[in-house]
Amino acid sequence: MRCANCGNELKAGSLYCDVCGHPVQIVPDYNEFDDYLDNLVGNDDRRTDGQKTAKLVSDRTIRFDEPVREQLHSAGQRNGQKPDRMSQYENKQAQTGKQQSQTKQPCDEKPQSDGQRAKRAQQKKIIIISAVVCAVAIVILIAAITRNVSRSHDNSFDYQVKQAKAAYSAGNINSAVSYYEKALSIESDNTDVRFVLADIYMSKKDYDAALVLYQEIINIDPKSKEAYKKLISIYESKNDYDAIVALRESAKDASVLKLFADYTVSKPQFSKSSGKYGETIELSIDADSDTKIYYSYDSDDPLTRGERYYSPITLDREGTYEITAVAVDDRGIKSEVASAKYEIEFEAPDAPEIDPDGGTFGAQTDITITVPENCKVYYTWDSSDPSAASTEYTAPIPVPEGNNVLSVIAIDQNTGKCSDIYRSRFEFYMN
């Protein structure tokens, strides 16, 4: 460091120049923040009782407080140097300042106490804490705004779809799926997003996930032909024709049902309609030529609990029959189950016609009986009820001598039904 007056190299720690005696320009440590805080607390003077800070008089001269100046003056005299003009000027200024300070009010000369210094320190501390609190509040506010923006995005359907498209375009399929699923959680009835998401799953061969989405679309829009087409395609690839049939049965719209034309087997048809019959019947079952028919007498599931149909079924016993039948093609596609109910209750044959119809005879007489169709006739002469174990009528019967009762019955050989019993008295006496 050199002297500002003569340029002499100064020794470290020197307060004045060894050559010209010019005082060293001493600049005290300066802290802008301390000045700022002093201004805030209303204090410009940071001097203490024991020392006073140097104040700038001009761009070249520094004014020193009295203790420092006396030290410099003494040091100059010891070195045999006279004070230069600058020193004289400074001494004059110092004396003037001293006189001025002597004319100040007593309150201006009062030194600062420890309490005042502590108060100022406390005020500075409060200001610093306030600044920190404000900074923290600003950070919290920024975080809250960021969180609200993020929450707004989380609840925005359009934002999620936009992000999904961007992720998909960038090749980030998993992120796209996540965004689309988040969009569906916001707008649960949206079918467009489901179609896009299902297509992504199809491209990944995740058919089960795609199936769920297409089924959800159908639940939302039962007339969505595109969703039905997609489901049929998936089931076809898996050879799951039962699922196609079930899907067809769930469809109600006529335009949708046309999509299943190639996956429909006609329901079997019975040769006789349901009803009550008084005789044995032969029942035929017809279906498409390229199908197999299965039927059952007593089950709603003729395919697994019935038998294969080959020829007409004979219903030759009295009772009620509930016939079910189903047709199945080579792909395993089943028709709807057809059913018919038949009640068989055979009619009793008419009673036989007897000629002559009883009476008293004096000569040999033969009795002729008209036998009903499909029947046999049996008779007795002792008034007992005839049965199949009695004498069968095969030819005219001669009236026996005496007083006898003829009992006759006809039995249908197909149904086993019996006619009413005919009874008549015949008397024959030889003259």
Side-chain angles (χ1 to χ4, degrees):
M1 181 177 180
R2 297 181 179 276
C3 177
N5 184 48
C6 66
N8 178 49
E9 183 70 28
L10 301 175
K11 297 179 181 180
S14 298
L15 299 178
Y16 58 90
C17 179
D18 295 336
V19 176
C20 66
H22 192 275
V24 177
Q25 296 184 13
I26 299 175
V27 181
D29 291 338
Y30 179 69
N31 189 323
E32 294 182 356
F33 186 66
D34 285 343
D35 283 348
Y36 173 72
L37 293 179
D38 284 339
N39 290 333
L40 287 178
V41 299
N43 180 33
D44 289 337
D45 194 355
R46 289 158 52 187
R47 293 176 296 175
T48 62
D49 295 340
Q51 70 181 87
K52 298 181 181 180
T53 306
K55 295 183 180 179
L56 185 64
V57 175
S58 68
D59 60 345
R60 296 176 55 87
T61 307
I62 295 176
R63 177 178 297 167
F64 293 92
D65 292 334
E66 288 302 324
V68 176
R69 183 168 301 280
E70 291 175 359
Q71 181 182 0
L72 291 176
H73 182 71
S74 300
Q77 289 180 347
R78 285 195 303 270
N79 292 329
Q81 295 180 350
K82 296 181 179 181
D84 58 9
R85 293 181 179 179
M86 183 62 67
S87 298
Q88 294 175 359
Y89 173 80
E90 288 175 354
N91 290 334
K92 184 176 180 180
Q93 291 295 327
Q95 291 177 359
T96 302
K98 184 175 181 180
Q99 292 175 356
Q100 290 177 350
S101 63
Q102 290 175 353
T103 62
K104 289 182 180 179
Q105 297 297 325
C107 60
D108 293 335
E109 296 177 355
K110 184 178 180 180
Q112 295 179 349
S113 66
D114 292 341
Q116 290 175 324
R117 288 194 295 273
K119 183 177 180 180
R120 288 199 302 274
Q122 181 66 20
Q123 290 174 332
K124 292 181 181 180
K125 183 177 180 181
I126 291 173
I127 293 172
I128 294 172
I129 293 175
S130 299
V132 172
V133 170
C134 290
V136 172
I138 292 173
V139 172
I140 293 175
L141 179 61
I142 294 173
I145 294 173
T146 303
R147 183 170 62 255
N148 289 335
V149 171
S150 177
R151 185 177 301 170
S152 176
H153 287 166
D154 288 342
N155 296 326
S156 171
F157 173 83
D158 293 336
Y159 175 81
Q160 299 299 328
V161 172
K162 180 180 178 181
Q163 293 297 104
K165 291 179 179 179
Y168 187 81
S169 299
N172 195 341
I173 306 302
N174 291 334
S175 293
V177 169
S178 297
Y179 281 119
Y180 278 128
E181 289 179 344
K182 186 64 179 293
L184 285 180
S185 69
I186 299 171
E187 194 172 310
S188 60
D189 290 341
N190 189 284
T191 57
D192 293 336
V193 170
R194 279 183 169 83
F195 272 117
V196 174
L197 193 54
D199 288 342
I200 293 176
Y201 284 132
M202 289 290 288
S203 66
K204 297 172 64 177
K205 296 184 178 181
D206 189 352
Y207 300 121
D208 290 338
L211 279 172
V212 172
L213 289 168
Y214 289 133
Q215 189 62 59
E216 289 177 352
I217 293 172
I218 290 175
N219 293 337
I220 297 171
D221 181 13
K223 296 182 179 181
S224 177
K225 295 172 66 175
E226 185 64 25
Y228 274 102
K229 288 179 182 179
K230 295 289 187 179
L231 285 173
I232 291 173
S233 175
I234 294 174
Y235 289 138
E236 177 74 37
S237 66
K238 299 170 71 173
N239 294 324
D240 190 353
Y241 296 104
D242 287 341
I244 295 178
V245 172
L247 187 63
R248 180 195 66 202
E249 293 174 350
S250 69
K252 305 299 180 184
D253 185 73
S255 62
V256 171
L257 287 172
K258 292 180 181 179
L259 300 174
F260 296 92
D262 295 335
Y263 303 94
T264 302
V265 174
S266 299
K267 185 167 64 174
Q269 300 294 321
F270 297 105
S271 61
K272 294 185 180 293
S273 59
S274 298
K276 186 176 182 179
Y277 293 85
E279 59 185 0
T280 298
I281 62 174
E282 296 291 325
L283 184 65
S284 298
I285 306 175
D286 295 322
D288 294 342
S289 59
D290 58 347
T291 62
K292 301 180 180 68
I293 301 173
Y294 296 86
Y295 73 97
S296 172
Y297 288 100
D298 56 3
S299 175
D300 292 335
D301 186 8
L303 182 61
T304 59
R305 300 186 62 182
E307 54 185 289
R308 176 82 179 272
Y309 173 83
Y310 292 101
S311 58
I313 304 168
T314 301
L315 306 181
D316 57 358
R317 294 182 181 181
E318 284 190 315
T320 300
Y321 299 84
E322 189 166 358
I323 308 300
T324 58
V326 65
V328 184
D329 69 5
D330 293 337
R331 296 173 298 179
I333 297 179
K334 300 180 295 184
S335 70
E336 295 181 39
V337 175
S339 63
K341 188 175 183 178
Y342 303 95
E343 184 178 353
I344 306 300
E345 185 177 349
F346 299 131
E347 295 179 359
D350 295 332
E353 294 182 4
I354 308 300
D355 184 31
D357 186 13
T360 301
F361 303 94
Q364 183 68 51
T365 304
D366 291 336
I367 302 171
T368 304
I369 302 175
T370 302
V371 179
E373 185 179 2
N374 298 323
C375 293
K376 289 183 178 183
V377 172
Y378 300 89
Y379 65 93
T380 63
W381 283 103
D382 56 2
S383 299
S384 64
D385 293 341
S387 66
S390 303
T391 304
E392 181 182 356
Y393 173 83
T394 58
I397 306 169
V399 177
E401 189 176 2
N403 186 0
N404 298 287
V405 176
L406 177 65
S407 301
V408 181
I409 190 172
I411 300 177
D412 192 317
Q413 298 303 294
N414 293 330
T415 65
K417 280 285 192 177
C418 300
S419 68
D420 293 335
I421 297 175
Y422 167 85
R423 284 188 170 90
S424 185
R425 185 178 293 280
F426 290 84
E427 293 184 32
F428 171 52
Y429 300 101
M430 293 291 293
N431 291 332

